[in-house]
Amino acid sequence: QVQLVESGGGSVQAGGSLRLSCAASGYTYSTLCMGWFRQAPGKEREGVAAISSAGSTVYADSVKGRFTISKDNAKNTLYLQMNNLEPEDTAMYYCAARGSGGFCFAKIKTYEYNYWGQGTQVTVSS
């Protein structure tokens, strides 16, 4: 059973930064494809960023140029560096994963993932 544990959320003022982490464990797949998602109150969960096995990345238009996704394969940990945060970024942020026997393509559609963390809250005040 894949376990994903997020950390790093908090409350910041607009323009501030946060770094989210997601530690993965308990999986037997040769590769774990991972991404970040978020859900604001009253809104659907949306993809934020994902990273491929080759290190290529994909971002939601709303976070391009401000957020950076990265992964430390040795530590089985996914990161999301969030800079220049805006009140619109306020949401619960979730780490997601899917198993793979080979290459991971970066995808930010919720239906592409079947393992989810418990979420970490990010609140940005104006």
Side-chain angles (χ1 to χ4, degrees), residues 67-108:
F67 290 11
T68 303
I69 188 172
S70 60
K71 190 180 180 194
D72 186 331
N73 290 318
K75 295 182 178 180
N76 298 324
T77 301
L78 184 73
Y79 302 98
L80 185 68
Q81 177 66 43
M82 305 185 294
N83 297 329
N84 194 20
L85 283 160
E86 303 170 352
E88 293 74 21
D89 296 317
T90 295
M92 185 72 78
Y93 283 72
Y94 297 92
C95 173
R98 66 182 185 276
S100 173
F103 189 86
C104 286
F105 292 93
K107 299 181 180 182
I108 52 171

PDB file of all heavy atoms in Angstrom, residues 67-108:
ATOM      1  N   PHE A  67       5.764  28.522  -9.160  1.00  0.00           N
ATOM      2  CA  PHE A  67       5.941  27.241  -8.473  1.00  0.00           C
ATOM      3  C   PHE A  67       6.965  26.392  -9.223  1.00  0.00           C
ATOM      4  O   PHE A  67       7.052  26.442 -10.448  1.00  0.00           O
ATOM      5  CB  PHE A  67       4.625  26.469  -8.425  1.00  0.00           C
ATOM      6  CG  PHE A  67       3.565  27.050  -7.523  1.00  0.00           C
ATOM      7  CD1 PHE A  67       3.694  28.314  -6.966  1.00  0.00           C
ATOM      8  CD2 PHE A  67       2.430  26.318  -7.230  1.00  0.00           C
ATOM      9  CE1 PHE A  67       2.715  28.840  -6.141  1.00  0.00           C
ATOM     10  CE2 PHE A  67       1.444  26.824  -6.402  1.00  0.00           C
ATOM     11  CZ  PHE A  67       1.585  28.089  -5.869  1.00  0.00           C
ATOM     12  N   THR A  68       7.705  25.582  -8.450  1.00  0.00           N
ATOM     13  CA  THR A  68       8.671  24.659  -9.033  1.00  0.00           C
ATOM     14  C   THR A  68       8.533  23.300  -8.365  1.00  0.00           C
ATOM     15  O   THR A  68       8.638  23.191  -7.141  1.00  0.00           O
ATOM     16  CB  THR A  68      10.110  25.171  -8.852  1.00  0.00           C
ATOM     17  OG1 THR A  68      10.235  26.471  -9.440  1.00  0.00           O
ATOM     18  CG2 THR A  68      11.098  24.228  -9.520  1.00  0.00           C
ATOM     19  N   ILE A  69       8.322  22.278  -9.185  1.00  0.00           N
ATOM     20  CA  ILE A  69       8.237  20.916  -8.680  1.00  0.00           C
ATOM     21  C   ILE A  69       9.583  20.231  -8.865  1.00  0.00           C
ATOM     22  O   ILE A  69      10.285  20.466  -9.849  1.00  0.00           O
ATOM     23  CB  ILE A  69       7.116  20.124  -9.398  1.00  0.00           C
ATOM     24  CG1 ILE A  69       6.898  18.762  -8.738  1.00  0.00           C
ATOM     25  CG2 ILE A  69       7.405  19.990 -10.890  1.00  0.00           C
ATOM     26  CD1 ILE A  69       5.686  18.002  -9.276  1.00  0.00           C
ATOM     27  N   SER A  70       9.948  19.407  -7.900  1.00  0.00           N
ATOM     28  CA  SER A  70      11.186  18.637  -8.008  1.00  0.00           C
ATOM     29  C   SER A  70      11.016  17.338  -7.235  1.00  0.00           C
ATOM     30  O   SER A  70      10.088  17.184  -6.444  1.00  0.00           O
ATOM     31  CB  SER A  70      12.375  19.428  -7.463  1.00  0.00           C
ATOM     32  OG  SER A  70      12.180  19.742  -6.097  1.00  0.00           O
ATOM     33  N   LYS A  71      11.918  16.407  -7.492  1.00  0.00           N
ATOM     34  CA  LYS A  71      11.823  15.103  -6.844  1.00  0.00           C
ATOM     35  C   LYS A  71      13.200  14.588  -6.500  1.00  0.00           C
ATOM     36  O   LYS A  71      14.125  14.681  -7.315  1.00  0.00           O
ATOM     37  CB  LYS A  71      11.100  14.112  -7.764  1.00  0.00           C
ATOM     38  CG  LYS A  71      10.739  12.794  -7.108  1.00  0.00           C
ATOM     39  CD  LYS A  71      10.019  11.883  -8.094  1.00  0.00           C
ATOM     40  CE  LYS A  71       9.645  10.562  -7.431  1.00  0.00           C
ATOM     41  NZ  LYS A  71       9.259   9.530  -8.406  1.00  0.00           N
ATOM     42  N   ASP A  72      13.337  14.076  -5.315  1.00  0.00           N
ATOM     43  CA  ASP A  72      14.575  13.422  -4.879  1.00  0.00           C
ATOM     44  C   ASP A  72      14.296  11.923  -4.861  1.00  0.00           C
ATOM     45  O   ASP A  72      13.664  11.412  -3.940  1.00  0.00           O
ATOM     46  CB  ASP A  72      14.972  13.927  -3.494  1.00  0.00           C
ATOM     47  CG  ASP A  72      16.324  13.397  -3.050  1.00  0.00           C
ATOM     48  OD1 ASP A  72      16.704  12.284  -3.482  1.00  0.00           O
ATOM     49  OD2 ASP A  72      16.993  14.077  -2.266  1.00  0.00           O
ATOM     50  N   ASN A  73      14.735  11.242  -5.909  1.00  0.00           N
ATOM     51  CA  ASN A  73      14.433   9.812  -6.028  1.00  0.00           C
ATOM     52  C   ASN A  73      15.095   8.991  -4.919  1.00  0.00           C
ATOM     53  O   ASN A  73      14.548   7.983  -4.481  1.00  0.00           O
ATOM     54  CB  ASN A  73      14.869   9.303  -7.397  1.00  0.00           C
ATOM     55  CG  ASN A  73      14.003   9.853  -8.506  1.00  0.00           C
ATOM     56  OD1 ASN A  73      12.779   9.934  -8.383  1.00  0.00           O
ATOM     57  ND2 ASN A  73      14.623  10.247  -9.606  1.00  0.00           N
ATOM     58  N   ALA A  74      16.256   9.416  -4.481  1.00  0.00           N
ATOM     59  CA  ALA A  74      16.951   8.678  -3.418  1.00  0.00           C
ATOM     60  C   ALA A  74      16.157   8.714  -2.115  1.00  0.00           C
ATOM     61  O   ALA A  74      16.190   7.764  -1.327  1.00  0.00           O
ATOM     62  CB  ALA A  74      18.339   9.256  -3.210  1.00  0.00           C
ATOM     63  N   LYS A  75      15.448   9.823  -1.896  1.00  0.00           N
ATOM     64  CA  LYS A  75      14.662   9.972  -0.666  1.00  0.00           C
ATOM     65  C   LYS A  75      13.184   9.668  -0.880  1.00  0.00           C
ATOM     66  O   LYS A  75      12.391   9.768   0.056  1.00  0.00           O
ATOM     67  CB  LYS A  75      14.805  11.396  -0.124  1.00  0.00           C
ATOM     68  CG  LYS A  75      16.210  11.751   0.324  1.00  0.00           C
ATOM     69  CD  LYS A  75      16.251  13.164   0.893  1.00  0.00           C
ATOM     70  CE  LYS A  75      17.637  13.514   1.377  1.00  0.00           C
ATOM     71  NZ  LYS A  75      17.696  14.898   1.928  1.00  0.00           N
ATOM     72  N   ASN A  76      12.815   9.320  -2.107  1.00  0.00           N
ATOM     73  CA  ASN A  76      11.402   9.067  -2.425  1.00  0.00           C
ATOM     74  C   ASN A  76      10.528  10.236  -1.993  1.00  0.00           C
ATOM     75  O   ASN A  76       9.439  10.043  -1.424  1.00  0.00           O
ATOM     76  CB  ASN A  76      10.913   7.780  -1.755  1.00  0.00           C
ATOM     77  CG  ASN A  76      11.655   6.562  -2.234  1.00  0.00           C
ATOM     78  OD1 ASN A  76      12.014   6.467  -3.404  1.00  0.00           O
ATOM     79  ND2 ASN A  76      11.906   5.628  -1.338  1.00  0.00           N
ATOM     80  N   THR A  77      11.001  11.438  -2.250  1.00  0.00           N
ATOM     81  CA  THR A  77      10.304  12.626  -1.788  1.00  0.00           C
ATOM     82  C   THR A  77      10.079  13.603  -2.935  1.00  0.00           C
ATOM     83  O   THR A  77      10.980  13.855  -3.730  1.00  0.00           O
ATOM     84  CB  THR A  77      11.091  13.318  -0.661  1.00  0.00           C
ATOM     85  OG1 THR A  77      11.247  12.396   0.428  1.00  0.00           O
ATOM     86  CG2 THR A  77      10.360  14.546  -0.166  1.00  0.00           C
ATOM     87  N   LEU A  78       8.865  14.116  -2.988  1.00  0.00           N
ATOM     88  CA  LEU A  78       8.461  15.107  -3.981  1.00  0.00           C
ATOM     89  C   LEU A  78       8.369  16.463  -3.292  1.00  0.00           C
ATOM     90  O   LEU A  78       7.947  16.538  -2.131  1.00  0.00           O
ATOM     91  CB  LEU A  78       7.100  14.724  -4.569  1.00  0.00           C
ATOM     92  CG  LEU A  78       6.548  15.575  -5.699  1.00  0.00           C
ATOM     93  CD1 LEU A  78       7.332  15.300  -6.986  1.00  0.00           C
ATOM     94  CD2 LEU A  78       5.063  15.261  -5.918  1.00  0.00           C
ATOM     95  N   TYR A  79       8.759  17.512  -4.003  1.00  0.00           N
ATOM     96  CA  TYR A  79       8.726  18.850  -3.437  1.00  0.00           C
ATOM     97  C   TYR A  79       7.927  19.807  -4.325  1.00  0.00           C
ATOM     98  O   TYR A  79       7.807  19.592  -5.530  1.00  0.00           O
ATOM     99  CB  TYR A  79      10.144  19.410  -3.284  1.00  0.00           C
ATOM    100  CG  TYR A  79      11.048  18.573  -2.421  1.00  0.00           C
ATOM    101  CD1 TYR A  79      11.948  17.667  -2.987  1.00  0.00           C
ATOM    102  CD2 TYR A  79      11.014  18.677  -1.037  1.00  0.00           C
ATOM    103  CE1 TYR A  79      12.772  16.895  -2.197  1.00  0.00           C
ATOM    104  CE2 TYR A  79      11.845  17.897  -0.234  1.00  0.00           C
ATOM    105  CZ  TYR A  79      12.722  17.013  -0.826  1.00  0.00           C
ATOM    106  OH  TYR A  79      13.543  16.237  -0.033  1.00  0.00           O
ATOM    107  N   LEU A  80       7.436  20.865  -3.710  1.00  0.00           N
ATOM    108  CA  LEU A  80       6.807  21.948  -4.461  1.00  0.00           C
ATOM    109  C   LEU A  80       7.244  23.257  -3.817  1.00  0.00           C
ATOM    110  O   LEU A  80       6.822  23.573  -2.706  1.00  0.00           O
ATOM    111  CB  LEU A  80       5.281  21.836  -4.460  1.00  0.00           C
ATOM    112  CG  LEU A  80       4.568  22.875  -5.336  1.00  0.00           C
ATOM    113  CD1 LEU A  80       4.859  22.604  -6.820  1.00  0.00           C
ATOM    114  CD2 LEU A  80       3.059  22.851  -5.095  1.00  0.00           C
ATOM    115  N   GLN A  81       8.128  23.961  -4.508  1.00  0.00           N
ATOM    116  CA  GLN A  81       8.547  25.278  -4.040  1.00  0.00           C
ATOM    117  C   GLN A  81       7.564  26.297  -4.581  1.00  0.00           C
ATOM    118  O   GLN A  81       7.376  26.399  -5.794  1.00  0.00           O
ATOM    119  CB  GLN A  81       9.961  25.594  -4.533  1.00  0.00           C
ATOM    120  CG  GLN A  81      10.457  26.972  -4.151  1.00  0.00           C
ATOM    121  CD  GLN A  81      10.650  27.130  -2.652  1.00  0.00           C
ATOM    122  OE1 GLN A  81      11.183  26.241  -1.988  1.00  0.00           O
ATOM    123  NE2 GLN A  81      10.201  28.265  -2.114  1.00  0.00           N
ATOM    124  N   MET A  82       6.961  27.046  -3.682  1.00  0.00           N
ATOM    125  CA  MET A  82       5.938  28.013  -4.064  1.00  0.00           C
ATOM    126  C   MET A  82       6.412  29.412  -3.686  1.00  0.00           C
ATOM    127  O   MET A  82       6.598  29.709  -2.502  1.00  0.00           O
ATOM    128  CB  MET A  82       4.610  27.694  -3.367  1.00  0.00           C
ATOM    129  CG  MET A  82       4.128  26.277  -3.601  1.00  0.00           C
ATOM    130  SD  MET A  82       2.489  25.949  -2.907  1.00  0.00           S
ATOM    131  CE  MET A  82       2.852  26.120  -1.168  1.00  0.00           C
ATOM    132  N   ASN A  83       6.625  30.222  -4.699  1.00  0.00           N
ATOM    133  CA  ASN A  83       7.088  31.597  -4.486  1.00  0.00           C
ATOM    134  C   ASN A  83       6.024  32.591  -4.930  1.00  0.00           C
ATOM    135  O   ASN A  83       5.134  32.259  -5.705  1.00  0.00           O
ATOM    136  CB  ASN A  83       8.374  31.847  -5.261  1.00  0.00           C
ATOM    137  CG  ASN A  83       9.517  30.975  -4.790  1.00  0.00           C
ATOM    138  OD1 ASN A  83       9.603  30.598  -3.618  1.00  0.00           O
ATOM    139  ND2 ASN A  83      10.406  30.633  -5.710  1.00  0.00           N
ATOM    140  N   ASN A  84       6.161  33.817  -4.454  1.00  0.00           N
ATOM    141  CA  ASN A  84       5.233  34.882  -4.831  1.00  0.00           C
ATOM    142  C   ASN A  84       3.777  34.415  -4.695  1.00  0.00           C
ATOM    143  O   ASN A  84       2.969  34.566  -5.613  1.00  0.00           O
ATOM    144  CB  ASN A  84       5.504  35.349  -6.265  1.00  0.00           C
ATOM    145  CG  ASN A  84       4.825  36.653  -6.590  1.00  0.00           C
ATOM    146  OD1 ASN A  84       4.453  37.418  -5.699  1.00  0.00           O
ATOM    147  ND2 ASN A  84       4.638  36.901  -7.877  1.00  0.00           N
ATOM    148  N   LEU A  85       3.472  33.866  -3.551  1.00  0.00           N
ATOM    149  CA  LEU A  85       2.138  33.313  -3.321  1.00  0.00           C
ATOM    150  C   LEU A  85       1.065  34.390  -3.361  1.00  0.00           C
ATOM    151  O   LEU A  85       1.294  35.545  -2.959  1.00  0.00           O
ATOM    152  CB  LEU A  85       2.102  32.573  -1.991  1.00  0.00           C
ATOM    153  CG  LEU A  85       2.747  31.192  -2.017  1.00  0.00           C
ATOM    154  CD1 LEU A  85       3.114  30.724  -0.621  1.00  0.00           C
ATOM    155  CD2 LEU A  85       1.828  30.190  -2.687  1.00  0.00           C
ATOM    156  N   GLU A  86      -0.086  34.005  -3.849  1.00  0.00           N
ATOM    157  CA  GLU A  86      -1.231  34.895  -3.989  1.00  0.00           C
ATOM    158  C   GLU A  86      -2.403  34.345  -3.170  1.00  0.00           C
ATOM    159  O   GLU A  86      -2.465  33.134  -2.923  1.00  0.00           O
ATOM    160  CB  GLU A  86      -1.635  35.001  -5.460  1.00  0.00           C
ATOM    161  CG  GLU A  86      -0.524  35.466  -6.373  1.00  0.00           C
ATOM    162  CD  GLU A  86      -0.881  35.322  -7.847  1.00  0.00           C
ATOM    163  OE1 GLU A  86      -1.931  34.717  -8.146  1.00  0.00           O
ATOM    164  OE2 GLU A  86      -0.103  35.828  -8.687  1.00  0.00           O
ATOM    165  N   PRO A  87      -3.324  35.211  -2.738  1.00  0.00           N
ATOM    166  CA  PRO A  87      -4.491  34.709  -1.985  1.00  0.00           C
ATOM    167  C   PRO A  87      -5.242  33.609  -2.729  1.00  0.00           C
ATOM    168  O   PRO A  87      -5.804  32.705  -2.092  1.00  0.00           O
ATOM    169  CB  PRO A  87      -5.349  35.964  -1.820  1.00  0.00           C
ATOM    170  CG  PRO A  87      -4.363  37.085  -1.814  1.00  0.00           C
ATOM    171  CD  PRO A  87      -3.297  36.679  -2.791  1.00  0.00           C
ATOM    172  N   GLU A  88      -5.210  33.660  -4.062  1.00  0.00           N
ATOM    173  CA  GLU A  88      -5.894  32.644  -4.873  1.00  0.00           C
ATOM    174  C   GLU A  88      -5.234  31.272  -4.769  1.00  0.00           C
ATOM    175  O   GLU A  88      -5.796  30.268  -5.218  1.00  0.00           O
ATOM    176  CB  GLU A  88      -5.932  33.071  -6.335  1.00  0.00           C
ATOM    177  CG  GLU A  88      -6.805  34.294  -6.625  1.00  0.00           C
ATOM    178  CD  GLU A  88      -6.185  35.604  -6.160  1.00  0.00           C
ATOM    179  OE1 GLU A  88      -4.943  35.654  -5.982  1.00  0.00           O
ATOM    180  OE2 GLU A  88      -6.941  36.571  -5.959  1.00  0.00           O
ATOM    181  N   ASP A  89      -4.043  31.220  -4.204  1.00  0.00           N
ATOM    182  CA  ASP A  89      -3.361  29.936  -4.012  1.00  0.00           C
ATOM    183  C   ASP A  89      -3.831  29.223  -2.741  1.00  0.00           C
ATOM    184  O   ASP A  89      -3.432  28.086  -2.484  1.00  0.00           O
ATOM    185  CB  ASP A  89      -1.845  30.141  -3.920  1.00  0.00           C
ATOM    186  CG  ASP A  89      -1.252  30.686  -5.203  1.00  0.00           C
ATOM    187  OD1 ASP A  89      -1.639  30.201  -6.288  1.00  0.00           O
ATOM    188  OD2 ASP A  89      -0.406  31.594  -5.122  1.00  0.00           O
ATOM    189  N   THR A  90      -4.649  29.876  -1.957  1.00  0.00           N
ATOM    190  CA  THR A  90      -5.159  29.268  -0.731  1.00  0.00           C
ATOM    191  C   THR A  90      -5.968  28.024  -1.053  1.00  0.00           C
ATOM    192  O   THR A  90      -6.914  28.060  -1.841  1.00  0.00           O
ATOM    193  CB  THR A  90      -6.035  30.268   0.039  1.00  0.00           C
ATOM    194  OG1 THR A  90      -5.226  31.363   0.472  1.00  0.00           O
ATOM    195  CG2 THR A  90      -6.688  29.605   1.240  1.00  0.00           C
ATOM    196  N   ALA A  91      -5.558  26.899  -0.479  1.00  0.00           N
ATOM    197  CA  ALA A  91      -6.203  25.611  -0.759  1.00  0.00           C
ATOM    198  C   ALA A  91      -5.559  24.534   0.088  1.00  0.00           C
ATOM    199  O   ALA A  91      -4.520  24.750   0.714  1.00  0.00           O
ATOM    200  CB  ALA A  91      -6.052  25.252  -2.235  1.00  0.00           C
ATOM    201  N   MET A  92      -6.190  23.368   0.077  1.00  0.00           N
ATOM    202  CA  MET A  92      -5.554  22.163   0.597  1.00  0.00           C
ATOM    203  C   MET A  92      -4.739  21.582  -0.542  1.00  0.00           C
ATOM    204  O   MET A  92      -5.270  21.391  -1.645  1.00  0.00           O
ATOM    205  CB  MET A  92      -6.601  21.163   1.075  1.00  0.00           C
ATOM    206  CG  MET A  92      -6.000  19.939   1.741  1.00  0.00           C
ATOM    207  SD  MET A  92      -5.326  20.312   3.372  1.00  0.00           S
ATOM    208  CE  MET A  92      -6.854  20.365   4.322  1.00  0.00           C
ATOM    209  N   TYR A  93      -3.476  21.327  -0.289  1.00  0.00           N
ATOM    210  CA  TYR A  93      -2.585  20.787  -1.307  1.00  0.00           C
ATOM    211  C   TYR A  93      -2.358  19.302  -1.063  1.00  0.00           C
ATOM    212  O   TYR A  93      -2.040  18.886   0.054  1.00  0.00           O
ATOM    213  CB  TYR A  93      -1.258  21.536  -1.295  1.00  0.00           C
ATOM    214  CG  TYR A  93      -1.365  22.882  -1.971  1.00  0.00           C
ATOM    215  CD1 TYR A  93      -2.056  23.930  -1.378  1.00  0.00           C
ATOM    216  CD2 TYR A  93      -0.793  23.102  -3.221  1.00  0.00           C
ATOM    217  CE1 TYR A  93      -2.178  25.164  -2.001  1.00  0.00           C
ATOM    218  CE2 TYR A  93      -0.910  24.333  -3.853  1.00  0.00           C
ATOM    219  CZ  TYR A  93      -1.602  25.355  -3.237  1.00  0.00           C
ATOM    220  OH  TYR A  93      -1.724  26.576  -3.864  1.00  0.00           O
ATOM    221  N   TYR A  94      -2.507  18.536  -2.139  1.00  0.00           N
ATOM    222  CA  TYR A  94      -2.389  17.089  -2.054  1.00  0.00           C
ATOM    223  C   TYR A  94      -1.272  16.583  -2.954  1.00  0.00           C
ATOM    224  O   TYR A  94      -1.104  17.042  -4.081  1.00  0.00           O
ATOM    225  CB  TYR A  94      -3.683  16.412  -2.498  1.00  0.00           C
ATOM    226  CG  TYR A  94      -4.876  16.729  -1.638  1.00  0.00           C
ATOM    227  CD1 TYR A  94      -5.718  17.792  -1.944  1.00  0.00           C
ATOM    228  CD2 TYR A  94      -5.176  15.950  -0.520  1.00  0.00           C
ATOM    229  CE1 TYR A  94      -6.820  18.084  -1.157  1.00  0.00           C
ATOM    230  CE2 TYR A  94      -6.281  16.228   0.264  1.00  0.00           C
ATOM    231  CZ  TYR A  94      -7.097  17.302  -0.057  1.00  0.00           C
ATOM    232  OH  TYR A  94      -8.186  17.576   0.725  1.00  0.00           O
ATOM    233  N   CYS A  95      -0.577  15.601  -2.443  1.00  0.00           N
ATOM    234  CA  CYS A  95       0.387  14.844  -3.230  1.00  0.00           C
ATOM    235  C   CYS A  95      -0.340  13.621  -3.785  1.00  0.00           C
ATOM    236  O   CYS A  95      -1.172  13.023  -3.083  1.00  0.00           O
ATOM    237  CB  CYS A  95       1.532  14.432  -2.313  1.00  0.00           C
ATOM    238  SG  CYS A  95       2.744  13.331  -3.033  1.00  0.00           S
ATOM    239  N   ALA A  96      -0.049  13.264  -5.024  1.00  0.00           N
ATOM    240  CA  ALA A  96      -0.689  12.111  -5.636  1.00  0.00           C
ATOM    241  C   ALA A  96       0.351  11.248  -6.333  1.00  0.00           C
ATOM    242  O   ALA A  96       1.401  11.749  -6.756  1.00  0.00           O
ATOM    243  CB  ALA A  96      -1.751  12.561  -6.629  1.00  0.00           C
ATOM    244  N   ALA A  97       0.034   9.959  -6.469  1.00  0.00           N
ATOM    245  CA  ALA A  97       0.982   9.044  -7.094  1.00  0.00           C
ATOM    246  C   ALA A  97       0.250   7.931  -7.828  1.00  0.00           C
ATOM    247  O   ALA A  97      -0.909   7.615  -7.539  1.00  0.00           O
ATOM    248  CB  ALA A  97       1.909   8.442  -6.035  1.00  0.00           C
ATOM    249  N   ARG A  98       0.944   7.351  -8.794  1.00  0.00           N
ATOM    250  CA  ARG A  98       0.465   6.155  -9.484  1.00  0.00           C
ATOM    251  C   ARG A  98       1.683   5.278  -9.742  1.00  0.00           C
ATOM    252  O   ARG A  98       2.787   5.785  -9.962  1.00  0.00           O
ATOM    253  CB  ARG A  98      -0.232   6.501 -10.798  1.00  0.00           C
ATOM    254  CG  ARG A  98       0.668   7.094 -11.860  1.00  0.00           C
ATOM    255  CD  ARG A  98      -0.109   7.463 -13.118  1.00  0.00           C
ATOM    256  NE  ARG A  98       0.778   7.914 -14.183  1.00  0.00           N
ATOM    257  CZ  ARG A  98       1.245   9.147 -14.318  1.00  0.00           C
ATOM    258  NH1 ARG A  98       0.903  10.073 -13.439  1.00  0.00           N
ATOM    259  NH2 ARG A  98       2.033   9.469 -15.318  1.00  0.00           N
ATOM    260  N   GLY A  99       1.480   3.992  -9.707  1.00  0.00           N
ATOM    261  CA  GLY A  99       2.584   3.087  -9.943  1.00  0.00           C
ATOM    262  C   GLY A  99       2.863   2.924 -11.418  1.00  0.00           C
ATOM    263  O   GLY A  99       1.976   3.076 -12.256  1.00  0.00           O
ATOM    264  N   SER A 100       4.096   2.604 -11.750  1.00  0.00           N
ATOM    265  CA  SER A 100       4.487   2.394 -13.133  1.00  0.00           C
ATOM    266  C   SER A 100       5.612   1.381 -13.191  1.00  0.00           C
ATOM    267  O   SER A 100       6.455   1.320 -12.313  1.00  0.00           O
ATOM    268  CB  SER A 100       4.949   3.718 -13.760  1.00  0.00           C
ATOM    269  OG  SER A 100       5.477   3.494 -15.055  1.00  0.00           O
ATOM    270  N   GLY A 101       5.588   0.595 -14.285  1.00  0.00           N
ATOM    271  CA  GLY A 101       6.678  -0.343 -14.487  1.00  0.00           C
ATOM    272  C   GLY A 101       7.771   0.240 -15.348  1.00  0.00           C
ATOM    273  O   GLY A 101       8.772  -0.446 -15.624  1.00  0.00           O
ATOM    274  N   GLY A 102       7.600   1.507 -15.735  1.00  0.00           N
ATOM    275  CA  GLY A 102       8.592   2.120 -16.602  1.00  0.00           C
ATOM    276  C   GLY A 102       8.604   3.618 -16.477  1.00  0.00           C
ATOM    277  O   GLY A 102       8.628   4.154 -15.386  1.00  0.00           O
ATOM    278  N   PHE A 103       8.554   4.287 -17.598  1.00  0.00           N
ATOM    279  CA  PHE A 103       8.686   5.734 -17.638  1.00  0.00           C
ATOM    280  C   PHE A 103       7.437   6.429 -17.119  1.00  0.00           C
ATOM    281  O   PHE A 103       6.319   5.990 -17.358  1.00  0.00           O
ATOM    282  CB  PHE A 103       8.959   6.160 -19.081  1.00  0.00           C
ATOM    283  CG  PHE A 103       9.338   7.606 -19.226  1.00  0.00           C
ATOM    284  CD1 PHE A 103      10.648   8.006 -19.071  1.00  0.00           C
ATOM    285  CD2 PHE A 103       8.380   8.557 -19.523  1.00  0.00           C
ATOM    286  CE1 PHE A 103      11.004   9.331 -19.208  1.00  0.00           C
ATOM    287  CE2 PHE A 103       8.712   9.887 -19.669  1.00  0.00           C
ATOM    288  CZ  PHE A 103      10.035  10.284 -19.515  1.00  0.00           C
ATOM    289  N   CYS A 104       7.654   7.537 -16.418  1.00  0.00           N
ATOM    290  CA  CYS A 104       6.550   8.373 -15.944  1.00  0.00           C
ATOM    291  C   CYS A 104       6.447   9.613 -16.824  1.00  0.00           C
ATOM    292  O   CYS A 104       7.427  10.345 -16.984  1.00  0.00           O
ATOM    293  CB  CYS A 104       6.795   8.836 -14.515  1.00  0.00           C
ATOM    294  SG  CYS A 104       6.579   7.586 -13.264  1.00  0.00           S
ATOM    295  N   PHE A 105       5.278   9.836 -17.366  1.00  0.00           N
ATOM    296  CA  PHE A 105       4.997  11.090 -18.059  1.00  0.00           C
ATOM    297  C   PHE A 105       4.353  12.049 -17.051  1.00  0.00           C
ATOM    298  O   PHE A 105       3.583  11.618 -16.204  1.00  0.00           O
ATOM    299  CB  PHE A 105       4.067  10.850 -19.234  1.00  0.00           C
ATOM    300  CG  PHE A 105       4.685  10.054 -20.347  1.00  0.00           C
ATOM    301  CD1 PHE A 105       4.544   8.678 -20.384  1.00  0.00           C
ATOM    302  CD2 PHE A 105       5.425  10.676 -21.335  1.00  0.00           C
ATOM    303  CE1 PHE A 105       5.125   7.925 -21.392  1.00  0.00           C
ATOM    304  CE2 PHE A 105       6.011   9.939 -22.361  1.00  0.00           C
ATOM    305  CZ  PHE A 105       5.864   8.560 -22.386  1.00  0.00           C
ATOM    306  N   ALA A 106       4.687  13.306 -17.165  1.00  0.00           N
ATOM    307  CA  ALA A 106       4.127  14.300 -16.245  1.00  0.00           C
ATOM    308  C   ALA A 106       2.678  14.576 -16.619  1.00  0.00           C
ATOM    309  O   ALA A 106       2.395  15.034 -17.717  1.00  0.00           O
ATOM    310  CB  ALA A 106       4.953  15.582 -16.314  1.00  0.00           C
ATOM    311  N   LYS A 107       1.772  14.301 -15.690  1.00  0.00           N
ATOM    312  CA  LYS A 107       0.343  14.491 -15.941  1.00  0.00           C
ATOM    313  C   LYS A 107      -0.300  15.159 -14.737  1.00  0.00           C
ATOM    314  O   LYS A 107       0.019  14.830 -13.599  1.00  0.00           O
ATOM    315  CB  LYS A 107      -0.317  13.141 -16.212  1.00  0.00           C
ATOM    316  CG  LYS A 107       0.240  12.420 -17.430  1.00  0.00           C
ATOM    317  CD  LYS A 107      -0.462  11.105 -17.679  1.00  0.00           C
ATOM    318  CE  LYS A 107       0.111  10.407 -18.902  1.00  0.00           C
ATOM    319  NZ  LYS A 107      -0.590   9.138 -19.195  1.00  0.00           N
ATOM    320  N   ILE A 108      -1.235  16.087 -15.006  1.00  0.00           N
ATOM    321  CA  ILE A 108      -1.888  16.777 -13.897  1.00  0.00           C
ATOM    322  C   ILE A 108      -3.406  16.651 -13.968  1.00  0.00           C
ATOM    323  O   ILE A 108      -4.146  17.596 -13.671  1.00  0.00           O
ATOM    324  CB  ILE A 108      -1.467  18.261 -13.811  1.00  0.00           C
ATOM    325  CG1 ILE A 108      -1.634  18.987 -15.149  1.00  0.00           C
ATOM    326  CG2 ILE A 108      -0.045  18.391 -13.319  1.00  0.00           C
ATOM    327  CD1 ILE A 108      -1.424  20.497 -15.044  1.00  0.00           C
TER     328      ILE A 108
END
